[in-house]
Amino acid sequence: MNSTVLKYGLIGLAVAGFFGYQAINKSANPQTSDLGQVLDRTEFAIETYEEHAKSNASSTALSDSQVEEFGIFLAQVMNTEPRFYDDQIGMKVQEDAVFLGFKDSNANGVQDSDEKKIFSVEIDSENERLIATDETGESVGHRFSGSGLLTGYLIGSMLSRQRSAGITPNSFNNRNVTSRANYKPSARTRTRTGGSRSGK
């Protein structure tokens, strides 16, 4: 992996004011993930990895090892300071192209039997958006900032995985999804965004 590309992407995440944060008090209720942060960070990871993939492309689709590499990078982005979830987050790209976030208690990057799912992110190509869903079933949608991502190496490979798993472009049309602009994190989240990327 060209670690320099990904390292500078993370520096950009932390230094360039990519996200705005506002701390709120913890609630006594179990913590849920801030789906706004999940979406913003997923899009950032996709955009950054897409550039890395294009510069190292040897074919028109990502290999399984590159997909796994993206999952590792996505976990790094999710865990970058300031944190939006108390525990370490692990990320797994599933066979049907769902990005699964889980509580990685031992920080080994593998979802063990006692490590619960925290959220998932799906690609809705029909409506050009990402959809994040937490463990309570709440879903929030975020449109791609650039339509070129839909034909890129990473998303193109993910859409091929979707089709192989029987997921069609209109599979998401009947989902109850809150727009990113209208999403308000609950009191059970530790932080909330007030940043420049909200409102898409």
Side-chain angles (χ1 to χ4, degrees), residues 48-88:
T48 303
Y49 192 83
E50 181 68 20
E51 290 304 312
H52 167 72
K54 280 195 294 188
S55 65
N56 293 277
S58 58
S59 65
T60 58
L62 295 183
S63 66
D64 287 343
S65 64
Q66 286 174 306
V67 171
E68 183 178 346
E69 179 184 77
F70 172 72
I72 294 169
F73 176 55
L74 183 55
Q76 292 172 348
V77 173
M78 291 296 174
N79 289 297
T80 299
E81 295 291 342
R83 304 285 286 268
F84 67 90
Y85 195 80
D86 289 338
D87 300 296
Q88 180 81 3

mmCIF file of all heavy atoms in Angstrom, residues 48-88:
data_model
loop_
_atom_site.group_PDB
_atom_site.id
_atom_site.type_symbol
_atom_site.label_atom_id
_atom_site.label_comp_id
_atom_site.label_asym_id
_atom_site.label_seq_id
_atom_site.Cartn_x
_atom_site.Cartn_y
_atom_site.Cartn_z
ATOM 1 N N THR A 48 -10.475 9.633 -0.866
ATOM 2 C CA THR A 48 -9.033 9.506 -0.690
ATOM 3 C C THR A 48 -8.518 8.199 -1.270
ATOM 4 O O THR A 48 -7.513 8.169 -1.990
ATOM 5 C CB THR A 48 -8.667 9.592 0.810
ATOM 6 O OG1 THR A 48 -9.162 10.819 1.339
ATOM 7 C CG2 THR A 48 -7.162 9.533 1.016
ATOM 8 N N TYR A 49 -9.223 7.105 -0.984
ATOM 9 C CA TYR A 49 -8.776 5.810 -1.481
ATOM 10 C C TYR A 49 -8.933 5.717 -2.997
ATOM 11 O O TYR A 49 -8.135 5.047 -3.661
ATOM 12 C CB TYR A 49 -9.532 4.671 -0.801
ATOM 13 C CG TYR A 49 -8.883 3.338 -1.075
ATOM 14 C CD1 TYR A 49 -7.802 2.908 -0.315
ATOM 15 C CD2 TYR A 49 -9.334 2.526 -2.114
ATOM 16 C CE1 TYR A 49 -7.181 1.700 -0.586
ATOM 17 C CE2 TYR A 49 -8.714 1.319 -2.389
ATOM 18 C CZ TYR A 49 -7.646 0.912 -1.624
ATOM 19 O OH TYR A 49 -7.018 -0.279 -1.907
ATOM 20 N N GLU A 50 -9.936 6.378 -3.531
ATOM 21 C CA GLU A 50 -10.137 6.368 -4.980
ATOM 22 C C GLU A 50 -8.902 6.919 -5.696
ATOM 23 O O GLU A 50 -8.447 6.358 -6.696
ATOM 24 C CB GLU A 50 -11.377 7.185 -5.350
ATOM 25 C CG GLU A 50 -11.699 7.229 -6.829
ATOM 26 C CD GLU A 50 -12.160 5.887 -7.395
ATOM 27 O OE1 GLU A 50 -12.594 5.024 -6.624
ATOM 28 O OE2 GLU A 50 -12.068 5.718 -8.622
ATOM 29 N N GLU A 51 -8.353 8.013 -5.179
ATOM 30 C CA GLU A 51 -7.146 8.587 -5.776
ATOM 31 C C GLU A 51 -5.985 7.601 -5.668
ATOM 32 O O GLU A 51 -5.208 7.439 -6.607
ATOM 33 C CB GLU A 51 -6.796 9.902 -5.078
ATOM 34 C CG GLU A 51 -7.769 11.032 -5.359
ATOM 35 C CD GLU A 51 -7.916 11.311 -6.847
ATOM 36 O OE1 GLU A 51 -6.877 11.429 -7.538
ATOM 37 O OE2 GLU A 51 -9.068 11.389 -7.331
ATOM 38 N N HIS A 52 -5.853 6.979 -4.519
ATOM 39 C CA HIS A 52 -4.807 5.972 -4.311
ATOM 40 C C HIS A 52 -4.992 4.805 -5.279
ATOM 41 O O HIS A 52 -4.025 4.328 -5.889
ATOM 42 C CB HIS A 52 -4.873 5.488 -2.859
ATOM 43 C CG HIS A 52 -4.078 4.251 -2.586
ATOM 44 N ND1 HIS A 52 -2.698 4.238 -2.536
ATOM 45 C CD2 HIS A 52 -4.467 2.966 -2.340
ATOM 46 C CE1 HIS A 52 -2.277 3.019 -2.277
ATOM 47 N NE2 HIS A 52 -3.331 2.225 -2.151
ATOM 48 N N ALA A 53 -6.235 4.329 -5.439
ATOM 49 C CA ALA A 53 -6.506 3.184 -6.304
ATOM 50 C C ALA A 53 -6.213 3.508 -7.769
ATOM 51 O O ALA A 53 -5.633 2.689 -8.488
ATOM 52 C CB ALA A 53 -7.958 2.739 -6.132
ATOM 53 N N LYS A 54 -6.604 4.708 -8.200
ATOM 54 C CA LYS A 54 -6.367 5.090 -9.594
ATOM 55 C C LYS A 54 -4.875 5.143 -9.908
ATOM 56 O O LYS A 54 -4.441 4.731 -10.981
ATOM 57 C CB LYS A 54 -7.011 6.456 -9.886
ATOM 58 C CG LYS A 54 -8.496 6.382 -10.145
ATOM 59 C CD LYS A 54 -9.041 7.647 -10.776
ATOM 60 C CE LYS A 54 -8.937 8.835 -9.835
ATOM 61 N NZ LYS A 54 -9.650 10.014 -10.380
ATOM 62 N N SER A 55 -4.088 5.643 -8.968
ATOM 63 C CA SER A 55 -2.648 5.772 -9.212
ATOM 64 C C SER A 55 -1.923 4.429 -9.157
ATOM 65 O O SER A 55 -0.780 4.321 -9.584
ATOM 66 C CB SER A 55 -2.018 6.747 -8.209
ATOM 67 O OG SER A 55 -2.100 6.227 -6.896
ATOM 68 N N ASN A 56 -2.595 3.399 -8.616
ATOM 69 C CA ASN A 56 -1.987 2.074 -8.512
ATOM 70 C C ASN A 56 -2.785 1.018 -9.262
ATOM 71 O O ASN A 56 -2.642 -0.178 -8.987
ATOM 72 C CB ASN A 56 -1.881 1.671 -7.035
ATOM 73 C CG ASN A 56 -0.896 2.522 -6.267
ATOM 74 O OD1 ASN A 56 0.296 2.270 -6.288
ATOM 75 N ND2 ASN A 56 -1.388 3.558 -5.604
ATOM 76 N N ALA A 57 -3.610 1.451 -10.206
ATOM 77 C CA ALA A 57 -4.522 0.534 -10.886
ATOM 78 C C ALA A 57 -3.768 -0.372 -11.868
ATOM 79 O O ALA A 57 -2.929 0.085 -12.629
ATOM 80 C CB ALA A 57 -5.590 1.309 -11.626
ATOM 81 N N SER A 58 -4.098 -1.656 -11.816
ATOM 82 C CA SER A 58 -3.563 -2.606 -12.796
ATOM 83 C C SER A 58 -4.700 -3.270 -13.574
ATOM 84 O O SER A 58 -4.473 -4.065 -14.459
ATOM 85 C CB SER A 58 -2.710 -3.667 -12.103
ATOM 86 O OG SER A 58 -3.463 -4.354 -11.129
ATOM 87 N N SER A 59 -5.953 -2.954 -13.200
ATOM 88 C CA SER A 59 -7.119 -3.511 -13.883
ATOM 89 C C SER A 59 -8.278 -2.536 -13.688
ATOM 90 O O SER A 59 -8.112 -1.456 -13.115
ATOM 91 C CB SER A 59 -7.490 -4.884 -13.318
ATOM 92 O OG SER A 59 -7.910 -4.762 -11.978
ATOM 93 N N THR A 60 -9.443 -2.908 -14.170
ATOM 94 C CA THR A 60 -10.606 -2.018 -14.070
ATOM 95 C C THR A 60 -11.378 -2.199 -12.779
ATOM 96 O O THR A 60 -12.340 -1.482 -12.534
ATOM 97 C CB THR A 60 -11.559 -2.261 -15.254
ATOM 98 O OG1 THR A 60 -11.951 -3.646 -15.247
ATOM 99 C CG2 THR A 60 -10.886 -1.917 -16.569
ATOM 100 N N ALA A 61 -11.002 -3.168 -11.957
ATOM 101 C CA ALA A 61 -11.704 -3.408 -10.697
ATOM 102 C C ALA A 61 -10.703 -3.705 -9.597
ATOM 103 O O ALA A 61 -9.578 -4.147 -9.852
ATOM 104 C CB ALA A 61 -12.675 -4.575 -10.844
ATOM 105 N N LEU A 62 -11.101 -3.444 -8.366
ATOM 106 C CA LEU A 62 -10.237 -3.718 -7.227
ATOM 107 C C LEU A 62 -10.148 -5.210 -6.957
ATOM 108 O O LEU A 62 -11.121 -5.936 -7.092
ATOM 109 C CB LEU A 62 -10.774 -3.029 -5.973
ATOM 110 C CG LEU A 62 -10.800 -1.506 -5.947
ATOM 111 C CD1 LEU A 62 -11.285 -1.032 -4.587
ATOM 112 C CD2 LEU A 62 -9.438 -0.915 -6.241
ATOM 113 N N SER A 63 -8.972 -5.639 -6.532
ATOM 114 C CA SER A 63 -8.803 -7.024 -6.109
ATOM 115 C C SER A 63 -9.372 -7.191 -4.705
ATOM 116 O O SER A 63 -9.642 -6.209 -4.009
ATOM 117 C CB SER A 63 -7.312 -7.389 -6.108
ATOM 118 O OG SER A 63 -6.635 -6.625 -5.109
ATOM 119 N N ASP A 64 -9.537 -8.428 -4.275
ATOM 120 C CA ASP A 64 -10.032 -8.685 -2.921
ATOM 121 C C ASP A 64 -9.093 -8.090 -1.881
ATOM 122 O O ASP A 64 -9.538 -7.571 -0.853
ATOM 123 C CB ASP A 64 -10.185 -10.184 -2.683
ATOM 124 C CG ASP A 64 -11.375 -10.778 -3.431
ATOM 125 O OD1 ASP A 64 -12.256 -9.999 -3.865
ATOM 126 O OD2 ASP A 64 -11.424 -12.014 -3.579
ATOM 127 N N SER A 65 -7.795 -8.149 -2.136
ATOM 128 C CA SER A 65 -6.839 -7.588 -1.172
ATOM 129 C C SER A 65 -6.955 -6.073 -1.104
ATOM 130 O O SER A 65 -6.790 -5.478 -0.028
ATOM 131 C CB SER A 65 -5.410 -8.004 -1.529
ATOM 132 O OG SER A 65 -5.020 -7.480 -2.783
ATOM 133 N N GLN A 66 -7.266 -5.424 -2.223
ATOM 134 C CA GLN A 66 -7.452 -3.970 -2.207
ATOM 135 C C GLN A 66 -8.736 -3.595 -1.471
ATOM 136 O O GLN A 66 -8.771 -2.580 -0.767
ATOM 137 C CB GLN A 66 -7.473 -3.429 -3.635
ATOM 138 C CG GLN A 66 -6.122 -3.406 -4.298
ATOM 139 C CD GLN A 66 -6.217 -2.996 -5.755
ATOM 140 O OE1 GLN A 66 -6.976 -3.581 -6.535
ATOM 141 N NE2 GLN A 66 -5.462 -1.980 -6.127
ATOM 142 N N VAL A 67 -9.772 -4.395 -1.630
ATOM 143 C CA VAL A 67 -11.014 -4.146 -0.895
ATOM 144 C C VAL A 67 -10.759 -4.276 0.600
ATOM 145 O O VAL A 67 -11.221 -3.465 1.405
ATOM 146 C CB VAL A 67 -12.129 -5.112 -1.358
ATOM 147 C CG1 VAL A 67 -13.353 -4.996 -0.449
ATOM 148 C CG2 VAL A 67 -12.515 -4.820 -2.806
ATOM 149 N N GLU A 68 -9.986 -5.288 0.980
ATOM 150 C CA GLU A 68 -9.627 -5.456 2.390
ATOM 151 C C GLU A 68 -8.782 -4.278 2.878
ATOM 152 O O GLU A 68 -8.967 -3.789 3.998
ATOM 153 C CB GLU A 68 -8.859 -6.764 2.572
ATOM 154 C CG GLU A 68 -8.508 -7.070 4.011
ATOM 155 C CD GLU A 68 -7.791 -8.397 4.172
ATOM 156 O OE1 GLU A 68 -7.787 -9.199 3.228
ATOM 157 O OE2 GLU A 68 -7.219 -8.614 5.257
ATOM 158 N N GLU A 69 -7.880 -3.824 2.032
ATOM 159 C CA GLU A 69 -7.054 -2.663 2.356
ATOM 160 C C GLU A 69 -7.923 -1.429 2.600
ATOM 161 O O GLU A 69 -7.689 -0.662 3.545
ATOM 162 C CB GLU A 69 -6.086 -2.401 1.198
ATOM 163 C CG GLU A 69 -5.180 -1.203 1.367
ATOM 164 C CD GLU A 69 -4.333 -0.988 0.134
ATOM 165 O OE1 GLU A 69 -4.858 -0.466 -0.878
ATOM 166 O OE2 GLU A 69 -3.149 -1.347 0.170
ATOM 167 N N PHE A 70 -8.940 -1.255 1.772
ATOM 168 C CA PHE A 70 -9.851 -0.120 1.976
ATOM 169 C C PHE A 70 -10.557 -0.236 3.314
ATOM 170 O O PHE A 70 -10.727 0.761 4.016
ATOM 171 C CB PHE A 70 -10.884 -0.030 0.850
ATOM 172 C CG PHE A 70 -11.943 0.996 1.138
ATOM 173 C CD1 PHE A 70 -11.657 2.348 1.084
ATOM 174 C CD2 PHE A 70 -13.232 0.607 1.510
ATOM 175 C CE1 PHE A 70 -12.621 3.311 1.390
ATOM 176 C CE2 PHE A 70 -14.193 1.555 1.815
ATOM 177 C CZ PHE A 70 -13.891 2.914 1.751
ATOM 178 N N GLY A 71 -10.990 -1.440 3.692
ATOM 179 C CA GLY A 71 -11.647 -1.629 4.984
ATOM 180 C C GLY A 71 -10.750 -1.205 6.140
ATOM 181 O O GLY A 71 -11.209 -0.576 7.104
ATOM 182 N N ILE A 72 -9.459 -1.522 6.040
ATOM 183 C CA ILE A 72 -8.501 -1.122 7.080
ATOM 184 C C ILE A 72 -8.367 0.393 7.114
ATOM 185 O O ILE A 72 -8.360 1.013 8.193
ATOM 186 C CB ILE A 72 -7.136 -1.785 6.824
ATOM 187 C CG1 ILE A 72 -7.250 -3.298 6.997
ATOM 188 C CG2 ILE A 72 -6.067 -1.209 7.746
ATOM 189 C CD1 ILE A 72 -6.038 -4.079 6.512
ATOM 190 N N PHE A 73 -8.269 1.008 5.943
ATOM 191 C CA PHE A 73 -8.166 2.465 5.883
ATOM 192 C C PHE A 73 -9.425 3.135 6.423
ATOM 193 O O PHE A 73 -9.360 4.107 7.180
ATOM 194 C CB PHE A 73 -7.906 2.908 4.433
ATOM 195 C CG PHE A 73 -7.874 4.398 4.259
ATOM 196 C CD1 PHE A 73 -7.020 5.194 5.003
ATOM 197 C CD2 PHE A 73 -8.705 5.018 3.337
ATOM 198 C CE1 PHE A 73 -6.988 6.573 4.849
ATOM 199 C CE2 PHE A 73 -8.685 6.386 3.169
ATOM 200 C CZ PHE A 73 -7.820 7.167 3.926
ATOM 201 N N LEU A 74 -10.589 2.589 6.071
ATOM 202 C CA LEU A 74 -11.845 3.152 6.551
ATOM 203 C C LEU A 74 -11.907 3.090 8.078
ATOM 204 O O LEU A 74 -12.368 4.041 8.732
ATOM 205 C CB LEU A 74 -13.026 2.399 5.928
ATOM 206 C CG LEU A 74 -14.437 2.885 6.264
ATOM 207 C CD1 LEU A 74 -14.623 4.360 5.952
ATOM 208 C CD2 LEU A 74 -15.473 2.051 5.517
ATOM 209 N N ALA A 75 -11.416 2.010 8.670
ATOM 210 C CA ALA A 75 -11.370 1.912 10.139
ATOM 211 C C ALA A 75 -10.456 2.978 10.720
ATOM 212 O O ALA A 75 -10.770 3.590 11.752
ATOM 213 C CB ALA A 75 -10.901 0.521 10.556
ATOM 214 N N GLN A 76 -9.324 3.240 10.070
ATOM 215 C CA GLN A 76 -8.415 4.290 10.540
ATOM 216 C C GLN A 76 -9.112 5.653 10.545
ATOM 217 O O GLN A 76 -8.987 6.427 11.496
ATOM 218 C CB GLN A 76 -7.173 4.358 9.650
ATOM 219 C CG GLN A 76 -6.257 3.158 9.763
ATOM 220 C CD GLN A 76 -5.148 3.182 8.726
ATOM 221 O OE1 GLN A 76 -5.176 3.981 7.784
ATOM 222 N NE2 GLN A 76 -4.176 2.297 8.879
ATOM 223 N N VAL A 77 -9.858 5.908 9.476
ATOM 224 C CA VAL A 77 -10.571 7.189 9.378
ATOM 225 C C VAL A 77 -11.642 7.291 10.459
ATOM 226 O O VAL A 77 -11.796 8.329 11.106
ATOM 227 C CB VAL A 77 -11.184 7.359 7.970
ATOM 228 C CG1 VAL A 77 -12.072 8.601 7.907
ATOM 229 C CG2 VAL A 77 -10.085 7.449 6.919
ATOM 230 N N MET A 78 -12.386 6.212 10.693
ATOM 231 C CA MET A 78 -13.437 6.232 11.716
ATOM 232 C C MET A 78 -12.880 6.474 13.113
ATOM 233 O O MET A 78 -13.550 7.070 13.965
ATOM 234 C CB MET A 78 -14.223 4.915 11.700
ATOM 235 C CG MET A 78 -15.078 4.695 10.478
ATOM 236 S SD MET A 78 -16.414 5.920 10.334
ATOM 237 C CE MET A 78 -17.063 5.457 8.709
ATOM 238 N N ASN A 79 -11.642 6.042 13.351
ATOM 239 C CA ASN A 79 -11.051 6.161 14.685
ATOM 240 C C ASN A 79 -10.136 7.368 14.850
ATOM 241 O O ASN A 79 -9.525 7.536 15.904
ATOM 242 C CB ASN A 79 -10.282 4.877 15.012
ATOM 243 C CG ASN A 79 -11.200 3.701 15.254
ATOM 244 O OD1 ASN A 79 -11.993 3.689 16.188
ATOM 245 N ND2 ASN A 79 -11.135 2.692 14.385
ATOM 246 N N THR A 80 -10.057 8.217 13.829
ATOM 247 C CA THR A 80 -9.219 9.406 13.917
ATOM 248 C C THR A 80 -9.778 10.381 14.944
ATOM 249 O O THR A 80 -10.986 10.571 15.052
ATOM 250 C CB THR A 80 -9.123 10.089 12.532
ATOM 251 O OG1 THR A 80 -8.540 9.181 11.606
ATOM 252 C CG2 THR A 80 -8.284 11.339 12.587
ATOM 253 N N GLU A 81 -8.890 11.019 15.685
ATOM 254 C CA GLU A 81 -9.310 12.031 16.660
ATOM 255 C C GLU A 81 -9.817 13.272 15.937
ATOM 256 O O GLU A 81 -9.304 13.621 14.885
ATOM 257 C CB GLU A 81 -8.125 12.409 17.558
ATOM 258 C CG GLU A 81 -7.618 11.266 18.428
ATOM 259 C CD GLU A 81 -8.589 10.850 19.517
ATOM 260 O OE1 GLU A 81 -9.504 11.638 19.830
ATOM 261 O OE2 GLU A 81 -8.435 9.747 20.050
ATOM 262 N N PRO A 82 -10.789 13.975 16.530
ATOM 263 C CA PRO A 82 -11.530 13.616 17.735
ATOM 264 C C PRO A 82 -12.517 12.487 17.465
ATOM 265 O O PRO A 82 -13.163 12.449 16.428
ATOM 266 C CB PRO A 82 -12.258 14.903 18.112
ATOM 267 C CG PRO A 82 -12.407 15.652 16.833
ATOM 268 C CD PRO A 82 -11.217 15.271 15.988
ATOM 269 N N ARG A 83 -12.612 11.569 18.406
ATOM 270 C CA ARG A 83 -13.447 10.393 18.248
ATOM 271 C C ARG A 83 -14.924 10.745 18.377
ATOM 272 O O ARG A 83 -15.294 11.635 19.128
ATOM 273 C CB ARG A 83 -13.096 9.354 19.324
ATOM 274 C CG ARG A 83 -11.638 8.951 19.357
ATOM 275 C CD ARG A 83 -11.283 8.037 18.205
ATOM 276 N NE ARG A 83 -11.806 6.701 18.420
ATOM 277 C CZ ARG A 83 -11.118 5.730 19.005
ATOM 278 N NH1 ARG A 83 -9.897 5.932 19.431
ATOM 279 N NH2 ARG A 83 -11.661 4.535 19.169
ATOM 280 N N PHE A 84 -15.771 10.036 17.645
ATOM 281 C CA PHE A 84 -17.219 10.241 17.776
ATOM 282 C C PHE A 84 -17.887 9.043 18.444
ATOM 283 O O PHE A 84 -19.095 9.047 18.653
ATOM 284 C CB PHE A 84 -17.869 10.519 16.416
ATOM 285 C CG PHE A 84 -17.860 9.356 15.458
ATOM 286 C CD1 PHE A 84 -18.904 8.447 15.434
ATOM 287 C CD2 PHE A 84 -16.815 9.184 14.570
ATOM 288 C CE1 PHE A 84 -18.908 7.377 14.553
ATOM 289 C CE2 PHE A 84 -16.805 8.117 13.679
ATOM 290 C CZ PHE A 84 -17.849 7.213 13.670
ATOM 291 N N TYR A 85 -17.087 8.010 18.774
ATOM 292 C CA TYR A 85 -17.618 6.828 19.456
ATOM 293 C C TYR A 85 -16.589 6.418 20.502
ATOM 294 O O TYR A 85 -15.385 6.453 20.250
ATOM 295 C CB TYR A 85 -17.849 5.693 18.447
ATOM 296 C CG TYR A 85 -18.714 4.575 18.964
ATOM 297 C CD1 TYR A 85 -20.107 4.697 18.980
ATOM 298 C CD2 TYR A 85 -18.154 3.400 19.444
ATOM 299 C CE1 TYR A 85 -20.903 3.667 19.469
ATOM 300 C CE2 TYR A 85 -18.952 2.368 19.925
ATOM 301 C CZ TYR A 85 -20.321 2.514 19.933
ATOM 302 O OH TYR A 85 -21.116 1.493 20.412
ATOM 303 N N ASP A 86 -17.054 6.063 21.698
ATOM 304 C CA ASP A 86 -16.139 5.802 22.810
ATOM 305 C C ASP A 86 -15.182 4.648 22.543
ATOM 306 O O ASP A 86 -14.014 4.706 22.910
ATOM 307 C CB ASP A 86 -16.932 5.499 24.090
ATOM 308 C CG ASP A 86 -17.629 6.730 24.647
ATOM 309 O OD1 ASP A 86 -17.204 7.845 24.331
ATOM 310 O OD2 ASP A 86 -18.610 6.556 25.398
ATOM 311 N N ASP A 87 -15.686 3.571 21.936
ATOM 312 C CA ASP A 87 -14.887 2.373 21.745
ATOM 313 C C ASP A 87 -14.223 2.356 20.371
ATOM 314 O O ASP A 87 -14.639 3.055 19.451
ATOM 315 C CB ASP A 87 -15.773 1.132 21.903
ATOM 316 C CG ASP A 87 -16.407 1.051 23.281
ATOM 317 O OD1 ASP A 87 -15.655 0.918 24.261
ATOM 318 O OD2 ASP A 87 -17.648 1.142 23.377
ATOM 319 N N GLN A 88 -13.197 1.504 20.262
ATOM 320 C CA GLN A 88 -12.536 1.307 18.976
ATOM 321 C C GLN A 88 -13.542 0.754 17.969
ATOM 322 O O GLN A 88 -14.311 -0.156 18.281
ATOM 323 C CB GLN A 88 -11.365 0.329 19.145
ATOM 324 C CG GLN A 88 -10.591 0.034 17.880
ATOM 325 C CD GLN A 88 -9.576 1.098 17.550
ATOM 326 O OE1 GLN A 88 -9.401 2.050 18.315
ATOM 327 N NE2 GLN A 88 -8.915 0.970 16.427
#
